[in-house]
Amino acid sequence: MKRFDYTRAATPAEAIAASAAEGAVYLGGGTNLLDLMKGNVLRPDRLVDVTHVAGLDRIERLPDGSTRVGALVRNGDLAHDPAFAKSYPAVAEALLSGASAQLRNAATTGGNLLQRTRCPYFTDGVSACNKRVPGSGCDAVGGDTRLHAVLGWSDSCIAVHPSDFCVPLAALGATVEIEGKGGPRSVPLVEFHRLPGDEPQRETVLEPGDLVTAVVLPAEAAGFAAHSRYLKVRDRTSYAFAVVSAAAALKLDGDRVAEARLAFGGVALKPWRSAEAEAALRGQPATVASFRRAAEVALADAKPSGDNSYKIELARRIAVRAFTLALSGTPERVPALPASPFSSPLGVAAHA
Ligand code: SF4
């Protein structure tokens, strides 16, 4: 492991100033960064520890009814906050589906957004990887691509973003608060992560020195609380990243869909919200047939990046299943083990 400097910041301004040094990176929970440093994949010169920055560890209900989650709120604390889980159950469910209890107790809200891809050619530290060494090529192309992207990929990079948390955040219209050299600003979560294009090393819209300070969920998103789920397919039941996941949420008007939300994980280098599928469901009967049509719309532009065409139909089926579960109602308690497509009851959707 390369030697590095360590400094601790007490305020956002101190953190931003300290990060101006060459090779500096922010340290939050460290659950991803330190792993990659130990594997010699990342070699920062300086860690700017932001875990003691005041005021970033709160969950606050704002006057307009929205909920502001500080960047240092731990994933486990957020998932188990009763008021938060009641208003945004799919977010709590997604959080509980990620990693392990120990990791959730260390990982932060801000760090979850900024975690790096688990593409094995990135994390092995030696393969050609445009994300790790720009311009070096991509050994994933033509390699083992079972878990790679089917939406939004480019010839430069076919990796996927690994977060569960970000998927319902995208579906529910969350925004990211950022403090930078130019002052504070706010970015919709769906615009926060970048698709690879020909610069896969640029993963977000953050500029050098920018510090994520909070994620805000709008008040209106709590209107989906009665009918929202996060469903994740993975290679084993726990402690694994999504092969494909979906956050699905409904507002109902009788037996019709008044409004729908849908986002996928495991299919692209960002959480993938489908506004087209949501529009296709508006006003339609709340049936499996409608959900299937919406899923077709959501995946209309999908194409395999290698040996992973199975993911496209899997994503359609996960979307239908997630909507079907959402229709039958959000469980009173988020299950200790979140929804598995192999163990959850199908719900009560009418087949049409
Ligand atoms: Fe690197 Fe992306 Fe290629 Fe993986 S898919 S090796 S992260 S460039």
Side-chain angles (χ1 to χ4, degrees), residues 117 119 121-122 128-131 137-140 148 156-159 200:
T117 182
C119 170
Y121 301 93
F122 171 78
C129 173
N130 287 321
K131 189 179 275 300
C138 171
D139 276 349
H148 285 76
S156 296
C157 180
I158 59 173

Side-chain angles (χ1 to χ4, degrees), residues 214-234:
V215 168
V216 177
L217 279 143
E220 174 264 338
F224 290 95
H227 296 281
S228 59
R229 295 304 297 268
Y230 179 72
L231 191 57
K232 175 177 178 179
V233 174
R234 45 192 154 172

Side-chain angles (χ1 to χ4, degrees), residues 29 31 59 69-81 84 91-113 115 163-166 169:
T31 55
I59 305 168
V69 182
L72 293 176
V73 174
R74 307 285 169 170
N75 289 180
D77 291 340
L78 184 59
H80 293 295
D81 182 88
F84 182 84
V91 181
E93 191 169 22
L95 283 166
L96 290 176
S97 78
S100 66
Q102 291 93 335
L103 286 166
R104 293 194 293 269
N105 286 340
T108 62
T109 294
N112 193 306
L113 270 55
Q115 64 183 297
S163 173
D164 296 298
F165 180 42
C166 290
L169 291 183

Side-chain angles (χ1 to χ4, degrees), residues 43-241:
R43 297 166 53 82
D45 296 309
R46 167 183 272 203
L47 297 189
V48 180
D49 185 344
V50 295
T51 58
H52 291 70
V53 172
L56 302 189
D57 58 352
R58 299 187 203 125
I59 305 168
E60 301 166 274
R61 186 63 68 107
L62 302 180
D64 67 356
S66 59
T67 298
R68 183 176 191 272
V69 182
L72 293 176
V73 174
R74 307 285 169 170
N75 289 180
D77 291 340
L78 184 59
H80 293 295
D81 182 88
F84 182 84
K86 192 164 192 285
S87 297
Y88 308 107
V91 181
E93 191 169 22
L95 283 166
L96 290 176
S97 78
S100 66
Q102 291 93 335
L103 286 166
R104 293 194 293 269
N105 286 340
T108 62
T109 294
N112 193 306
L113 270 55
L114 294 168
Q115 64 183 297
R116 312 298 298 273
T117 182
R118 267 52 173 203
C119 170
Y121 301 93
F122 171 78
T123 56
D124 71 12
V126 293
S127 297
C129 173
N130 287 321
K131 189 179 275 300
R132 187 165 21 78
V133 182
S136 65
C138 171
D139 276 349
V141 172
D144 179 358
T145 50
R146 189 175 72 89
L147 298 176
H148 285 76
V150 294
L151 284 163
W153 54 273
S154 72
D155 290 340
S156 296
C157 180
I158 59 173
V160 298
H161 194 265
S163 173
D164 296 298
F165 180 42
C166 290
V167 179
L169 291 183
L172 295 174
T175 55
V176 184
E177 291 189 349
I178 300 162
E179 193 97 27
K181 290 176 199 144
R185 69 185 196 281
S186 188
V187 176
L189 186 111
V190 290
E191 295 171 17
F192 180 77
H193 299 96
R194 291 166 44 97
L195 289 174
D198 54 9
E199 290 184 304
Q201 72 276 17
R202 295 187 61 205
E203 299 181 344
T204 68
V205 298
L206 293 178
E207 298 293 339
D210 278 352
L211 178 69
V212 172
T213 54
V215 168
V216 177
L217 279 143
E220 174 264 338
F224 290 95
H227 296 281
S228 59
R229 295 304 297 268
Y230 179 72
L231 191 57
K232 175 177 178 179
V233 174
R234 45 192 154 172
D235 285 341
R236 48 175 192 254
T237 308
S238 71
Y239 198 33
F241 294 97

